[in-house]
Amino acid sequence: MLMKLPRWGFWCECWTESLTEQGPPALVASFDAYSAPQADRWVAIALETISPALDSDASSAAWEWMYDGRIDTRRALLRAEPCTVSLTHAGTRITWTIRPAFFLPLAHRQGTELPACAHDFTPRPEE
């Protein structure tokens, strides 16, 4: 979405982390959402998509969040609170994070060539 003015929304990320091998978490996907429903829908669609491939414990955790935890996530987002949804499958932790954000119209995210600073991102370690 090309913007002209700053806009409130949510910055969504999906990270994976091996629990059996050393190494930093890997950013798998990111998404800029402009409403709480759009942000939690991004996580729900991802969980629905991968749930058939998950082991039974991870699949149960995914569906539990979709049926019970999603409403708590939505409420927290409406209060502009950050949220995290995590599950573990076959030695890999998959974590979705949603944080309130103020989007500035500096560069179009889908541009063919991003400015050099876009590649300097260093993820913060989890607290």
Side-chain angles (χ1 to χ4, degrees):
M1 166 182 258
L2 190 55
M3 302 180 290
K4 294 181 182 177
L5 298 173
R7 184 170 176 187
W8 283 105
F10 299 91
W11 181 246
C12 309
E13 296 176 335
C14 178
W15 292 83
T16 59
E17 177 181 16
S18 175
L19 302 177
T20 59
E21 299 175 18
Q22 288 199 354
L27 179 64
V28 177
S30 60
F31 178 69
D32 42 340
Y34 294 94
S35 68
Q38 188 180 26
D40 77 59
R41 188 177 316 118
W42 183 71
V43 176
I45 289 169
L47 287 172
E48 288 175 15
T49 302
I50 69 170
S51 66
L54 298 173
D55 61 42
S56 62
D57 290 340
S59 182
S60 293
W63 287 102
E64 182 178 319
W65 177 83
M66 284 190 277
Y67 286 116
D68 296 325
R70 188 174 177 188
I71 189 69
D72 294 331
T73 297
R74 174 83 58 94
R75 287 179 180 145
L77 294 174
L78 290 170
R79 292 187 305 265
E81 297 172 359
C83 297
T84 301
V85 177
S86 289
L87 56 85
T88 301
H89 166 74
T92 300
R93 178 179 296 125
I94 307 167
T95 303
W96 290 265
T97 60
I98 306 170
R99 295 180 178 91
F102 193 58
F103 294 106
L104 302 174
L106 299 176
H108 192 276
R109 181 172 145 77
Q110 303 301 325
T112 56
E113 196 162 332
L114 294 173
C117 64
H119 305 289
D120 292 341
F121 170 72
T122 303
R124 293 185 327 186
E126 286 192 27
E127 298 173 8

